[in-house]
Every structure is written in C-alpha cells, then in structure tokens.
Amino acid sequence: MSSSIILGVETSCDESAIALVENGRKIVSSLVESQISIHETYGGVVPEIASRYHVKAITDLVEKTFQASDVKPEQLSAIACTQGPGLTGTLLVGLNTAKALSYAWNLPLYGVNHLYAHVASCFLESDLEPPFLALLVSGGHTELYIFESYDSFKLIGSSLDDACGEAFDKIARILGLKYPGGPGLEKLACGGDLNYIKFPIAKINDFNFSFSGLKTNVFRYCQKNPDFDKSSVAACAQYAIVDALWEKTLLAIKTFKADKLVVCGGVSANEFLRQKFKQGLKIPVYYPNLKYCTDNAAMIASAAYFKPKAIGYDAKVFSRSGLDV
Ligand code: KG4
Ligand code: ZN
C-alpha cells in the first residue's frame, strides 16, 4: 500500500492545531497552541477573541509542524480541516487556512467532522479497527455510537441537555476552580470522601444522558451548606457523572453485544473514569493517548484518512451537531 501523509488543521474552539499523520495512524508531527490562559479570565471561551488568536497562531504553526518533521509539502497527499461542529468564526480561520494550502499545493481538501475525529484519535498509534461501541465525552457532546465500519456508524444516545464536560466545567466553577474545570475538579476530588453526599442523577430512557440537574443540585447543596468540604463535593460530583456514563455504556454493551469499547473526547483524560471502565469491563477499552484526548489536529488528519470527504462549500459547514456534517 502506498504511503499517504495528510496535513490536519483544527480550530473548532480554543486550540489552534496542525499535524502531519501517515496512513491515518502514525503521528509524524503534531503541534497544539492552546488559548486557555487567555479565556481563563472570562471563565469560558470568548468566540471573537478565539478567532483572532487562531488568525495570529495558525501560519506559524504550519511552518513549525513541517520544521519538526522531515516531510516536505510535495510529499503530502491531502489537506484536512475541521468542518464542524464548532464556533463559526474559529472554524472559518481553519477552513480558510486549509483552502489556501490546498490551492497553493494543488492538493485535495477534506472536511472532517470534529466528533468523528475524536473517535479517530483512538486510531492514532493503535491497531484499533471497527466494529466497536464508542462513548464520546467532550466539552460540547456526550454521545454513544455503534461503529460498524470506518464510514458506517449509528448514533444511539446523547445528552438531552449539558454535555458531561460542561457539567465538569460548571461544577468546577461553583467550587471556585478555573476554566476548563475538568482537570482541576479531578485533582481536587483526589482527597475527597465518596460517602460525603450522594448527588442524584436524572434517570433518562434508553441510551440518553442528562447532566443539567446535577449542576443545579451541587449549586443548591453548596449554597445551603457554606462550610462544605470542597474536595468531597468534587469527588461525589465526579462519581455521579462517571456513574451515569458507566450505566448507559454498560447497557449499550449488553444490548448491542459490543466486544470493543472506545472512550474518547476531552473527558476521557479523566483517570477516575478510566479506572472505573478498566476495572468493570471484560472487553478491551481503547482510549486516546492523554495528549490526544483534548482537541488536536492529528485526529483530524486521521479522520480524513479513514473517512475522506471532499469538502463542499455549503451551509452544512456550520451544522452544529451530528456526525454527518
Ligand atoms: O474534547 P475537548 O478538548 O473539546 C471539545 O470538543 O469539547 O474537551 C474539553 C472538555 C472540557 O469540558 C474539559 O473540562 C474536559 O474536556 N476535560 C476533563 C479532563 N480533561 C479535560 N474533564 C474531566 N477530567 C479531565 N481530566
Ligand atoms: Zn473536541
């Protein structure tokens, strides 16, 4: 099989990223410039500021990504960029960068769905192949998919309100932690008592999730009990989120007789979640390498290799959810 090197571009939110990936699995080089320190002050991502910082960062990143490898533009087989879902302004920066590179180097341009790309992060440096069940847990989405093949998959469940990463972020904020709250909350929870309080989680039908009630419960508890133990509240809230993910995933594994599970997206970096799934399941569980759980461009290049889709410059570019952007 001839070798294919794809250059990936990711700008869907607050990470500018460029990567070179060979045959969908081998990371040749991958750079990410995060804007977290800029948005921290505001407690969340400010779209206009994010777009401006992507403009500032992206050209240098392309140059540095090539410098970090032996690859020359003439060795590339395609350019790929995130087509959506994401922030409209930030997506446009990546799309226009990718368009310019594809025009200048006369290469095909592929549009990639960001959610598919999170799943593809588990193909990087791994031998994972479909079929499998995928649990995608990020800042914007909580979804369960059945992957029959690389380009045939079915959404079987999703969050009806907040995504689980959003629940981590909002609860972390109640506890006075910085944005994004997931990593901070996980750290704080380490010394906490899991028997401190039981936060109920909404019981939703089928394979769907709901996290907005949990955030309200935590808020009310903290208001009523001003002397609460932060670390224990963090531990109990984290337990409630992970337990909800666990219950629905287990149900999906049994219902669809899945024999492999993929857990991906920013929240899959959470060690408490990883341990719970590892200890509780007999089937193999695939996670991205910690570096590739949160947004990066290697997963974009990998996704374009396994599900190449020539870009269509149409309104669907701005579609906000669903794998078939
Ligand atoms: O996948 P991602 O980088 O961006 C989206 O596509 O949304 O995910 C970001 C989310 C944030 O909500 C962040 O708090 C959460 O992933 N996150 C974590 C951890 N690391 C990142 N949540 C829990 N524990 C972590 N260790
Ligand atoms: Zn993401």
Side-chain angles (χ1 to χ4, degrees), residues 10 12-13 15 85 114-115 118 136 138-141 265-266 293-296 299:
E10 155 65 27
S12 67
C13 192
E15 260 98 27
H114 186 82
L115 309 185
H118 272 300
L136 164 67
S138 72
H141 297 85
C293 290
T294 46
D295 292 348
N296 64 86
M299 68 184 194

mmCIF file with all atom_site columns, all heavy atoms in Angstrom, residues 10 12-13 15 85 114-115 118 136 138-141 265-266 293-296 299, ligand 2:
data_model
loop_
_atom_site.group_PDB
_atom_site.id
_atom_site.type_symbol
_atom_site.label_atom_id
_atom_site.label_alt_id
_atom_site.label_comp_id
_atom_site.label_asym_id
_atom_site.label_entity_id
_atom_site.label_seq_id
_atom_site.pdbx_PDB_ins_code
_atom_site.Cartn_x
_atom_site.Cartn_y
_atom_site.Cartn_z
_atom_site.occupancy
_atom_site.B_iso_or_equiv
_atom_site.pdbx_formal_charge
_atom_site.auth_seq_id
_atom_site.auth_comp_id
_atom_site.auth_asym_id
_atom_site.auth_atom_id
_atom_site.pdbx_PDB_model_num
ATOM   1   N  N   . GLU A 1 10  ? -6.945  22.098 12.866 1.00 0.00 ? 10  GLU A N   1
ATOM   2   C  CA  . GLU A 1 10  ? -8.060  22.111 13.834 1.00 0.00 ? 10  GLU A CA  1
ATOM   3   C  C   . GLU A 1 10  ? -8.164  23.491 14.488 1.00 0.00 ? 10  GLU A C   1
ATOM   4   O  O   . GLU A 1 10  ? -7.181  24.000 15.042 1.00 0.00 ? 10  GLU A O   1
ATOM   5   C  CB  . GLU A 1 10  ? -7.823  21.017 14.897 1.00 0.00 ? 10  GLU A CB  1
ATOM   6   C  CG  . GLU A 1 10  ? -8.482  21.229 16.243 1.00 0.00 ? 10  GLU A CG  1
ATOM   7   C  CD  . GLU A 1 10  ? -10.013 21.226 16.247 1.00 0.00 ? 10  GLU A CD  1
ATOM   8   O  OE1 . GLU A 1 10  ? -10.623 20.587 15.374 1.00 0.00 ? 10  GLU A OE1 1
ATOM   9   O  OE2 . GLU A 1 10  ? -10.593 21.893 17.119 1.00 0.00 ? 10  GLU A OE2 1
ATOM   10  N  N   . SER A 1 12  ? -11.638 24.393 15.953 1.00 0.00 ? 12  SER A N   1
ATOM   11  C  CA  . SER A 1 12  ? -13.080 24.459 16.232 1.00 0.00 ? 12  SER A CA  1
ATOM   12  C  C   . SER A 1 12  ? -13.437 25.236 17.492 1.00 0.00 ? 12  SER A C   1
ATOM   13  O  O   . SER A 1 12  ? -14.555 25.693 17.652 1.00 0.00 ? 12  SER A O   1
ATOM   14  C  CB  . SER A 1 12  ? -13.666 23.053 16.321 1.00 0.00 ? 12  SER A CB  1
ATOM   15  O  OG  . SER A 1 12  ? -13.140 22.402 17.457 1.00 0.00 ? 12  SER A OG  1
ATOM   16  N  N   . CYS A 1 13  ? -12.463 25.397 18.412 1.00 0.00 ? 13  CYS A N   1
ATOM   17  C  CA  . CYS A 1 13  ? -12.779 26.110 19.659 1.00 0.00 ? 13  CYS A CA  1
ATOM   18  C  C   . CYS A 1 13  ? -11.582 26.955 20.102 1.00 0.00 ? 13  CYS A C   1
ATOM   19  O  O   . CYS A 1 13  ? -11.286 27.960 19.468 1.00 0.00 ? 13  CYS A O   1
ATOM   20  C  CB  . CYS A 1 13  ? -13.223 25.115 20.716 1.00 0.00 ? 13  CYS A CB  1
ATOM   21  S  SG  . CYS A 1 13  ? -13.949 25.893 22.154 1.00 0.00 ? 13  CYS A SG  1
ATOM   22  N  N   . GLU A 1 15  ? -8.275  25.772 20.664 1.00 0.00 ? 15  GLU A N   1
ATOM   23  C  CA  . GLU A 1 15  ? -6.950  25.209 20.398 1.00 0.00 ? 15  GLU A CA  1
ATOM   24  C  C   . GLU A 1 15  ? -6.637  25.351 18.920 1.00 0.00 ? 15  GLU A C   1
ATOM   25  O  O   . GLU A 1 15  ? -7.406  24.867 18.076 1.00 0.00 ? 15  GLU A O   1
ATOM   26  C  CB  . GLU A 1 15  ? -6.915  23.718 20.762 1.00 0.00 ? 15  GLU A CB  1
ATOM   27  C  CG  . GLU A 1 15  ? -6.279  23.435 22.100 1.00 0.00 ? 15  GLU A CG  1
ATOM   28  C  CD  . GLU A 1 15  ? -7.288  23.244 23.198 1.00 0.00 ? 15  GLU A CD  1
ATOM   29  O  OE1 . GLU A 1 15  ? -8.414  22.836 22.882 1.00 0.00 ? 15  GLU A OE1 1
ATOM   30  O  OE2 . GLU A 1 15  ? -6.959  23.535 24.374 1.00 0.00 ? 15  GLU A OE2 1
ATOM   31  N  N   . PRO A 1 85  ? -18.833 20.169 14.155 1.00 0.00 ? 85  PRO A N   1
ATOM   32  C  CA  . PRO A 1 85  ? -19.362 21.361 14.792 1.00 0.00 ? 85  PRO A CA  1
ATOM   33  C  C   . PRO A 1 85  ? -18.267 22.153 15.510 1.00 0.00 ? 85  PRO A C   1
ATOM   34  O  O   . PRO A 1 85  ? -17.220 21.616 15.826 1.00 0.00 ? 85  PRO A O   1
ATOM   35  C  CB  . PRO A 1 85  ? -20.378 20.799 15.789 1.00 0.00 ? 85  PRO A CB  1
ATOM   36  C  CG  . PRO A 1 85  ? -19.976 19.390 16.031 1.00 0.00 ? 85  PRO A CG  1
ATOM   37  C  CD  . PRO A 1 85  ? -19.246 18.925 14.822 1.00 0.00 ? 85  PRO A CD  1
ATOM   38  N  N   . HIS A 1 114 ? -15.766 17.015 13.572 1.00 0.00 ? 114 HIS A N   1
ATOM   39  C  CA  . HIS A 1 114 ? -14.960 17.046 14.796 1.00 0.00 ? 114 HIS A CA  1
ATOM   40  C  C   . HIS A 1 114 ? -15.264 15.844 15.711 1.00 0.00 ? 114 HIS A C   1
ATOM   41  O  O   . HIS A 1 114 ? -14.369 15.327 16.394 1.00 0.00 ? 114 HIS A O   1
ATOM   42  C  CB  . HIS A 1 114 ? -15.245 18.356 15.518 1.00 0.00 ? 114 HIS A CB  1
ATOM   43  C  CG  . HIS A 1 114 ? -14.394 18.593 16.710 1.00 0.00 ? 114 HIS A CG  1
ATOM   44  N  ND1 . HIS A 1 114 ? -13.117 19.103 16.625 1.00 0.00 ? 114 HIS A ND1 1
ATOM   45  C  CD2 . HIS A 1 114 ? -14.612 18.373 18.035 1.00 0.00 ? 114 HIS A CD2 1
ATOM   46  C  CE1 . HIS A 1 114 ? -12.600 19.191 17.836 1.00 0.00 ? 114 HIS A CE1 1
ATOM   47  N  NE2 . HIS A 1 114 ? -13.491 18.759 18.712 1.00 0.00 ? 114 HIS A NE2 1
ATOM   48  N  N   . LEU A 1 115 ? -16.517 15.401 15.713 1.00 0.00 ? 115 LEU A N   1
ATOM   49  C  CA  . LEU A 1 115 ? -16.886 14.285 16.604 1.00 0.00 ? 115 LEU A CA  1
ATOM   50  C  C   . LEU A 1 115 ? -16.298 12.976 16.085 1.00 0.00 ? 115 LEU A C   1
ATOM   51  O  O   . LEU A 1 115 ? -15.774 12.156 16.846 1.00 0.00 ? 115 LEU A O   1
ATOM   52  C  CB  . LEU A 1 115 ? -18.410 14.180 16.735 1.00 0.00 ? 115 LEU A CB  1
ATOM   53  C  CG  . LEU A 1 115 ? -19.140 15.471 17.105 1.00 0.00 ? 115 LEU A CG  1
ATOM   54  C  CD1 . LEU A 1 115 ? -20.613 15.196 17.329 1.00 0.00 ? 115 LEU A CD1 1
ATOM   55  C  CD2 . LEU A 1 115 ? -18.537 16.101 18.337 1.00 0.00 ? 115 LEU A CD2 1
ATOM   56  N  N   . HIS A 1 118 ? -12.725 12.861 17.055 1.00 0.00 ? 118 HIS A N   1
ATOM   57  C  CA  . HIS A 1 118 ? -12.426 12.402 18.422 1.00 0.00 ? 118 HIS A CA  1
ATOM   58  C  C   . HIS A 1 118 ? -12.377 10.873 18.474 1.00 0.00 ? 118 HIS A C   1
ATOM   59  O  O   . HIS A 1 118 ? -11.538 10.293 19.159 1.00 0.00 ? 118 HIS A O   1
ATOM   60  C  CB  . HIS A 1 118 ? -13.448 12.939 19.423 1.00 0.00 ? 118 HIS A CB  1
ATOM   61  C  CG  . HIS A 1 118 ? -13.073 14.288 19.981 1.00 0.00 ? 118 HIS A CG  1
ATOM   62  N  ND1 . HIS A 1 118 ? -11.910 14.490 20.690 1.00 0.00 ? 118 HIS A ND1 1
ATOM   63  C  CD2 . HIS A 1 118 ? -13.694 15.488 19.942 1.00 0.00 ? 118 HIS A CD2 1
ATOM   64  C  CE1 . HIS A 1 118 ? -11.831 15.762 21.058 1.00 0.00 ? 118 HIS A CE1 1
ATOM   65  N  NE2 . HIS A 1 118 ? -12.895 16.394 20.612 1.00 0.00 ? 118 HIS A NE2 1
ATOM   66  N  N   . LEU A 1 136 ? -18.331 9.083  23.336 1.00 0.00 ? 136 LEU A N   1
ATOM   67  C  CA  . LEU A 1 136 ? -17.639 10.357 23.098 1.00 0.00 ? 136 LEU A CA  1
ATOM   68  C  C   . LEU A 1 136 ? -18.023 11.330 24.204 1.00 0.00 ? 136 LEU A C   1
ATOM   69  O  O   . LEU A 1 136 ? -19.210 11.652 24.367 1.00 0.00 ? 136 LEU A O   1
ATOM   70  C  CB  . LEU A 1 136 ? -18.046 10.908 21.726 1.00 0.00 ? 136 LEU A CB  1
ATOM   71  C  CG  . LEU A 1 136 ? -17.732 12.375 21.471 1.00 0.00 ? 136 LEU A CG  1
ATOM   72  C  CD1 . LEU A 1 136 ? -16.238 12.588 21.398 1.00 0.00 ? 136 LEU A CD1 1
ATOM   73  C  CD2 . LEU A 1 136 ? -18.380 12.835 20.197 1.00 0.00 ? 136 LEU A CD2 1
ATOM   74  N  N   . SER A 1 138 ? -17.023 14.972 25.562 1.00 0.00 ? 138 SER A N   1
ATOM   75  C  CA  . SER A 1 138 ? -16.214 16.191 25.388 1.00 0.00 ? 138 SER A CA  1
ATOM   76  C  C   . SER A 1 138 ? -16.904 17.377 26.057 1.00 0.00 ? 138 SER A C   1
ATOM   77  O  O   . SER A 1 138 ? -17.885 17.210 26.791 1.00 0.00 ? 138 SER A O   1
ATOM   78  C  CB  . SER A 1 138 ? -16.004 16.455 23.898 1.00 0.00 ? 138 SER A CB  1
ATOM   79  O  OG  . SER A 1 138 ? -17.198 16.901 23.324 1.00 0.00 ? 138 SER A OG  1
ATOM   80  N  N   . GLY A 1 139 ? -16.375 18.574 25.782 1.00 0.00 ? 139 GLY A N   1
ATOM   81  C  CA  . GLY A 1 139 ? -16.949 19.773 26.385 1.00 0.00 ? 139 GLY A CA  1
ATOM   82  C  C   . GLY A 1 139 ? -18.305 20.109 25.780 1.00 0.00 ? 139 GLY A C   1
ATOM   83  O  O   . GLY A 1 139 ? -19.137 20.751 26.409 1.00 0.00 ? 139 GLY A O   1
ATOM   84  N  N   . GLY A 1 140 ? -18.544 19.673 24.555 1.00 0.00 ? 140 GLY A N   1
ATOM   85  C  CA  . GLY A 1 140 ? -19.791 20.025 23.871 1.00 0.00 ? 140 GLY A CA  1
ATOM   86  C  C   . GLY A 1 140 ? -20.717 18.849 23.615 1.00 0.00 ? 140 GLY A C   1
ATOM   87  O  O   . GLY A 1 140 ? -21.881 19.049 23.256 1.00 0.00 ? 140 GLY A O   1
ATOM   88  N  N   . HIS A 1 141 ? -20.232 17.624 23.777 1.00 0.00 ? 141 HIS A N   1
ATOM   89  C  CA  . HIS A 1 141 ? -21.039 16.455 23.416 1.00 0.00 ? 141 HIS A CA  1
ATOM   90  C  C   . HIS A 1 141 ? -20.858 15.286 24.380 1.00 0.00 ? 141 HIS A C   1
ATOM   91  O  O   . HIS A 1 141 ? -19.773 15.113 24.943 1.00 0.00 ? 141 HIS A O   1
ATOM   92  C  CB  . HIS A 1 141 ? -20.688 15.975 21.999 1.00 0.00 ? 141 HIS A CB  1
ATOM   93  C  CG  . HIS A 1 141 ? -21.009 16.997 20.956 1.00 0.00 ? 141 HIS A CG  1
ATOM   94  N  ND1 . HIS A 1 141 ? -20.136 18.007 20.634 1.00 0.00 ? 141 HIS A ND1 1
ATOM   95  C  CD2 . HIS A 1 141 ? -22.122 17.176 20.203 1.00 0.00 ? 141 HIS A CD2 1
ATOM   96  C  CE1 . HIS A 1 141 ? -20.696 18.776 19.714 1.00 0.00 ? 141 HIS A CE1 1
ATOM   97  N  NE2 . HIS A 1 141 ? -21.904 18.300 19.435 1.00 0.00 ? 141 HIS A NE2 1
ATOM   98  N  N   . GLY A 1 265 ? -12.589 11.929 23.549 1.00 0.00 ? 265 GLY A N   1
ATOM   99  C  CA  . GLY A 1 265 ? -13.016 13.296 23.864 1.00 0.00 ? 265 GLY A CA  1
ATOM   100 C  C   . GLY A 1 265 ? -12.314 13.764 25.126 1.00 0.00 ? 265 GLY A C   1
ATOM   101 O  O   . GLY A 1 265 ? -11.743 12.950 25.872 1.00 0.00 ? 265 GLY A O   1
ATOM   102 N  N   . GLY A 1 266 ? -12.357 15.071 25.381 1.00 0.00 ? 266 GLY A N   1
ATOM   103 C  CA  . GLY A 1 266 ? -11.608 15.671 26.492 1.00 0.00 ? 266 GLY A CA  1
ATOM   104 C  C   . GLY A 1 266 ? -11.768 14.964 27.824 1.00 0.00 ? 266 GLY A C   1
ATOM   105 O  O   . GLY A 1 266 ? -10.789 14.763 28.558 1.00 0.00 ? 266 GLY A O   1
ATOM   106 N  N   . CYS A 1 293 ? -6.535  13.376 23.848 1.00 0.00 ? 293 CYS A N   1
ATOM   107 C  CA  . CYS A 1 293 ? -7.924  13.351 24.332 1.00 0.00 ? 293 CYS A CA  1
ATOM   108 C  C   . CYS A 1 293 ? -8.598  14.669 23.991 1.00 0.00 ? 293 CYS A C   1
ATOM   109 O  O   . CYS A 1 293 ? -9.726  14.707 23.504 1.00 0.00 ? 293 CYS A O   1
ATOM   110 C  CB  . CYS A 1 293 ? -7.964  13.162 25.842 1.00 0.00 ? 293 CYS A CB  1
ATOM   111 S  SG  . CYS A 1 293 ? -7.473  11.540 26.384 1.00 0.00 ? 293 CYS A SG  1
ATOM   112 N  N   . THR A 1 294 ? -7.912  15.769 24.289 1.00 0.00 ? 294 THR A N   1
ATOM   113 C  CA  . THR A 1 294 ? -8.492  17.084 24.001 1.00 0.00 ? 294 THR A CA  1
ATOM   114 C  C   . THR A 1 294 ? -8.159  17.464 22.548 1.00 0.00 ? 294 THR A C   1
ATOM   115 O  O   . THR A 1 294 ? -7.439  16.747 21.852 1.00 0.00 ? 294 THR A O   1
ATOM   116 C  CB  . THR A 1 294 ? -7.951  18.138 25.002 1.00 0.00 ? 294 THR A CB  1
ATOM   117 O  OG1 . THR A 1 294 ? -6.550  17.976 25.096 1.00 0.00 ? 294 THR A OG1 1
ATOM   118 C  CG2 . THR A 1 294 ? -8.561  17.979 26.378 1.00 0.00 ? 294 THR A CG2 1
ATOM   119 N  N   . ASP A 1 295 ? -8.676  18.616 22.111 1.00 0.00 ? 295 ASP A N   1
ATOM   120 C  CA  . ASP A 1 295 ? -8.610  18.963 20.688 1.00 0.00 ? 295 ASP A CA  1
ATOM   121 C  C   . ASP A 1 295 ? -7.183  19.013 20.143 1.00 0.00 ? 295 ASP A C   1
ATOM   122 O  O   . ASP A 1 295 ? -6.282  19.588 20.762 1.00 0.00 ? 295 ASP A O   1
ATOM   123 C  CB  . ASP A 1 295 ? -9.310  20.308 20.465 1.00 0.00 ? 295 ASP A CB  1
ATOM   124 C  CG  . ASP A 1 295 ? -10.797 20.186 20.711 1.00 0.00 ? 295 ASP A CG  1
ATOM   125 O  OD1 . ASP A 1 295 ? -11.287 19.038 20.819 1.00 0.00 ? 295 ASP A OD1 1
ATOM   126 O  OD2 . ASP A 1 295 ? -11.473 21.229 20.798 1.00 0.00 ? 295 ASP A OD2 1
ATOM   127 N  N   . ASN A 1 296 ? -7.002  18.413 18.967 1.00 0.00 ? 296 ASN A N   1
ATOM   128 C  CA  . ASN A 1 296 ? -5.691  18.365 18.301 1.00 0.00 ? 296 ASN A CA  1
ATOM   129 C  C   . ASN A 1 296 ? -5.930  18.140 16.819 1.00 0.00 ? 296 ASN A C   1
ATOM   130 O  O   . ASN A 1 296 ? -7.057  17.829 16.400 1.00 0.00 ? 296 ASN A O   1
ATOM   131 C  CB  . ASN A 1 296 ? -4.851  17.228 18.916 1.00 0.00 ? 296 ASN A CB  1
ATOM   132 C  CG  . ASN A 1 296 ? -5.461  15.867 18.668 1.00 0.00 ? 296 ASN A CG  1
ATOM   133 O  OD1 . ASN A 1 296 ? -5.212  15.257 17.628 1.00 0.00 ? 296 ASN A OD1 1
ATOM   134 N  ND2 . ASN A 1 296 ? -6.305  15.386 19.574 1.00 0.00 ? 296 ASN A ND2 1
ATOM   135 N  N   . MET A 1 299 ? -5.897  14.015 15.115 1.00 0.00 ? 299 MET A N   1
ATOM   136 C  CA  . MET A 1 299 ? -7.162  13.264 14.965 1.00 0.00 ? 299 MET A CA  1
ATOM   137 C  C   . MET A 1 299 ? -7.926  13.713 13.713 1.00 0.00 ? 299 MET A C   1
ATOM   138 O  O   . MET A 1 299 ? -8.672  12.932 13.121 1.00 0.00 ? 299 MET A O   1
ATOM   139 C  CB  . MET A 1 299 ? -8.024  13.401 16.230 1.00 0.00 ? 299 MET A CB  1
ATOM   140 C  CG  . MET A 1 299 ? -8.580  14.789 16.491 1.00 0.00 ? 299 MET A CG  1
ATOM   141 S  SD  . MET A 1 299 ? -9.481  14.830 18.063 1.00 0.00 ? 299 MET A SD  1
ATOM   142 C  CE  . MET A 1 299 ? -10.365 16.399 17.894 1.00 0.00 ? 299 MET A CE  1
HETATM 143 ZN ZN  . ZN  B 2 .   ? -13.213 18.372 20.775 1.00 0.00 ? 2   ZN  B ZN  1
#
